[in-house]
Amino acid sequence: MLRTDWTRAEIRALFDLPFTELVFRAAQVHRAHQAADEVQLCTLLSIKTGGCPEDCGYCSQSAHHGSGLKAEKLMDVNSVLSAAAEAKAAGSQRFCMGAAWRSPKERDMPKVVAMIEGVKAMGLETCMTLGMLDEGQARTLADAGLDYYNHNLDSSPEYYERVTSTRTYQDRLDTLENVRNAGVSVCCGGIVGMGETREDRIGFVHALATLPRHPESVTVNALVPIRGTPLGDMLADTPMARVDDIEFVRVVAAARIACPMSMIRLSAGRESMSEAAQALCFMAGANSIFTGDKLLTTGNAGDSADAALFAKLGLRAMEGDEPMRVAAE
Ligand code: SAM
Ligand code: DTB
Ligand code: SF4
């Protein structure tokens, strides 16, 4: 039922629709497949911060840039579990753990496995994002009970090489395949506002919608400009390069139409988005957010601002599993 044969021309035609028509169609698709008043709450924790050998042009954690972020060692398991307990108490459904690695090292795996087992035992869904995985590593995480793995395509295949030089788009696709083959659900998305063109945004949505199976979760981040990173400096020095809210909502709407059963997560950049812009994103089919006042290294809207927004918009926290996982059972 879910189309994975979208052409770029079809995705382009969505972007070219009058804005209100695009949002209306996305809202229809959303209602046909999911409960449109439910929004999933996820919490992030950086379990290994900074000092990353990759050179992603947007990232505060790359050792190649001068963001000034202090590198830290892998957290101990108990500290991760207490952060997870706090997230659960705050109403979060999923706990996502991120590490600034190119890929996990063998010596780190026992701790990572203990984190997955411990967080899962609290009744939370587990997600990890640790960089590239080979088949064996994906299987180890699956055996530990990992529910989701986040690994982003970030942009179109053409723009990707302008964003990161230490790995290729194909490397990203290979890890996604290893995660899928191990039976772990996929969380995959990208960043809007890195200086890419409309055609790159079309290529990005097209890449997600033509994966062999749509990601269960799609993250849509707005670039958080970080001083000292190439893309952060570019945006801070050229405010005109900022993608406006209407174009951002178009990306959400096109992703919703192309991947009707996926969860679409409004991710980084929400802190500086107006309530009206966020409401438009929810209207266009976004149905997941990161909660709490911190993402990995940057700020987030915070629980009280989100509770107020949900009350204003009549939204409620989702409790069930993601539709694609329910359908697969
Ligand atoms: N190291 C792992 C990796 O890259 O796969 C996981 C962590 S990485 C920080 C996760 C994702 O966060 C990136 O793929 C990127 O899409 C997003 N991200 C990182 N820095 C960002 C920023 N400044 N603004 C928006 N999104 C960002
Ligand atoms: C994703 O697409 N966004 C999240 C999650 N996956 C791991 C990360 C956002 C990071 C924002 C920048 C920071 O806090 O360092
Ligand atoms: Fe490293 Fe991930 Fe940041 Fe890239 S996005 S520099 S891989 S932590």
Side-chain angles (χ1 to χ4, degrees):
M1 288 292 283
L2 293 177
R3 284 189 57 196
T4 55
D5 63 350
W6 288 89
T7 64
R8 267 211 189 196
E10 286 175 309
I11 306 290
R12 194 175 303 114
L14 294 175
F15 274 83
D16 285 343
L17 285 170
F19 179 74
T20 48
E21 180 63 24
L22 173 62
V23 173
F24 176 69
R25 287 200 202 174
Q28 277 182 317
V29 169
H30 191 190
R31 275 152 189 75
H33 294 91
Q34 313 205 29
D37 61 340
E38 290 184 3
V39 175
Q40 178 190 48
L41 308 182
C42 310
T43 302
L44 266 174
L45 176 70
S46 180
I47 59 169
K48 155 71 184 87
T49 303
C52 184
E54 304 272 18
D55 70 351
C56 311
Y58 46 75
C59 187
S60 62
Q61 306 201 67
S62 167
H64 297 257
H65 317 319
S67 71
L69 185 77
K70 199 172 139 278
E72 290 168 21
K73 287 201 302 220
L74 179 62
M75 283 175 73
D76 65 72
V77 178
N78 283 338
S79 310
V80 171
L81 297 188
S82 42
E86 273 177 42
K88 180 152 171 94
S92 200
Q93 184 184 37
R94 183 180 307 176
F95 195 62
C96 312
M97 295 160 267
W101 288 327
R102 175 172 167 83
S103 58
K105 301 245 174 3
E106 235 9 77
R107 62 164 189 267
D108 298 318
M109 288 308 255
K111 259 185 160 182
V112 163
V113 164
M115 289 172 193
I116 296 170
E117 290 171 346
V119 172
K120 217 175 152 69
M122 291 176 183
L124 281 160
E125 293 175 353
T126 52
C127 179
M128 288 213 153
T129 177
L130 315 172
M132 296 191 239
L133 298 183
D134 63 26
E135 281 177 39
Q137 290 170 319
R139 234 175 297 115
T140 303
L141 299 182
D143 290 345
L146 185 69
D147 296 296
Y148 296 83
Y149 196 78
N150 165 254
H151 201 66
N152 288 346
L153 289 174
D154 274 345
S155 192
S156 66
E158 308 86 90
Y159 199 68
Y160 192 73
E161 57 196 50
R162 310 242 322 250
V163 172
T164 307
S165 77
T166 48
R167 58 176 185 233
T168 64
Y169 214 67
Q170 190 57 48
D171 289 331
R172 299 304 270 185
L173 293 168
D174 291 346
T175 292
L176 290 171
E177 188 181 339
N178 292 336
V179 168
R180 264 280 169 246
N181 290 345
V184 175
S185 294
V186 169
C187 170
C188 180
I191 309 180
V192 178
M194 299 191 289
E196 77 284 348
T197 60
R198 157 80 65 95
E199 189 58 30
D200 291 315
R201 293 187 277 275
I202 293 166
F204 161 61
V205 173
H206 178 253
L208 293 173
T210 54
L211 286 169
R213 180 174 156 85
H214 294 164
E216 281 75 4
S217 291
V218 169
T219 55
V220 186
N221 299 276
L223 178 69
V224 177
I226 292 160
R227 268 294 183 194
T229 66
L231 290 169
D233 287 345
M234 179 276 294
L235 195 62
D237 296 337
T238 333
M240 291 293 287
R242 190 182 171 275
V243 166
D244 74 7
D245 292 340
I246 300 296
E247 183 69 4
F248 186 87
V249 176
R250 279 187 195 273
V251 177
V252 171
R256 165 53 67 222
I257 294 170
C259 303
M261 295 271 279
S262 303
M263 303 297 293
I264 297 187
R265 184 168 320 119
L266 207 46
S267 305
R270 209 165 56 80
E271 193 185 19
S272 51
M273 232 177 249
S274 69
E275 286 190 342
Q278 292 184 62
L280 272 176
C281 290
F282 293 129
M283 183 78 205
N287 58 351
S288 175
I289 58 168
F290 284 122
T291 57
D293 51 18
K294 199 164 173 208
L295 294 168
L296 292 173
T297 68
T298 64
N300 193 30
D303 291 338
S304 47
D306 285 340
L309 181 62
F310 274 39
K312 227 184 238 190
L313 300 179
L315 297 173
R316 58 198 174 89
M318 171 176 146
E319 282 170 14
D321 204 351
E322 298 192 340
M324 284 187 66
R325 284 168 50 106
V326 173
E329 271 168 13

